[in-house]
Amino acid sequence: MIVAGIGFRRGASVAALTEALLIAEARSAVRATALATDHSKADAAALCSLAATLGLPVFAVTVAGVETQTQSLRVKEMFGTGSLAEAAALVGAGPGAQLLGARVVSSDGAATVALAKGVGR
């Protein structure tokens, strides 16, 4: 299972989420089989639209307390982890999951995506 952890700012577009996902997939030479984000963002219109277009499930996860490669002070203060995308990918992919690289950022800075490989939830 390859889970794309997704972080995004309020008002982020489907295009921004898609761009970040495509960059992450290209860098890792894999395709996501599920999307994950913090439970507080799981019902955002852009994320739901992306999931519907791709036919992928969205896992609503708790990211607080998850250690990540990337450390954003703003994200740490808001979500209790250094990278929402990296933490969501790890939690979504299940115990023993491994990141396939650091998160990537859309060109407008509104969305981040990190991929993790795991055996499932």
Side-chain angles (χ1 to χ4, degrees), residues 57-107:
V58 176
F59 301 146
V61 300
T62 299
V63 298
V66 177
E67 293 296 322
T68 59
Q69 293 177 17
T70 303
Q71 294 296 309
S72 164
L73 182 58
R74 183 181 72 78
V75 172
K76 185 81 162 179
E77 290 172 353
M78 293 175 67
F79 296 99
T81 188
S83 167
L84 192 152
E86 292 174 9
L90 288 167
V91 174
Q98 294 185 339
L99 284 179
L100 299 179
R103 65 159 173 71
V104 298
V105 183
S106 62
S107 59

Side-chain angles (χ1 to χ4, degrees), residues 2 4 21 25 31-35 47-48 50-58:
I2 304 295
L21 177 60
E25 289 178 333
R31 296 199 48 107
T33 57
L35 309 177
L47 181 62
C48 292
L50 176 63
T53 298
L54 298 175
L56 298 177
V58 176

Side-chain angles (χ1 to χ4, degrees), residues 4-14 16-18 20 35-48 50 58-59 74-75 78-79 83-85 88 103-106 108-113:
I6 302 181
F8 51 94
R9 296 176 190 240
R10 183 174 303 201
S13 67
V14 175
L17 273 65
T18 302
L35 309 177
T37 195
D38 187 74
H39 61 85
S40 66
K41 294 179 166 274
D43 62 351
L47 181 62
C48 292
L50 176 63
V58 176
F59 301 146
R74 183 181 72 78
V75 172
M78 293 175 67
F79 296 99
S83 167
L84 192 152
R103 65 159 173 71
V104 298
V105 183
S106 62
D108 66 1
T112 59
V113 173

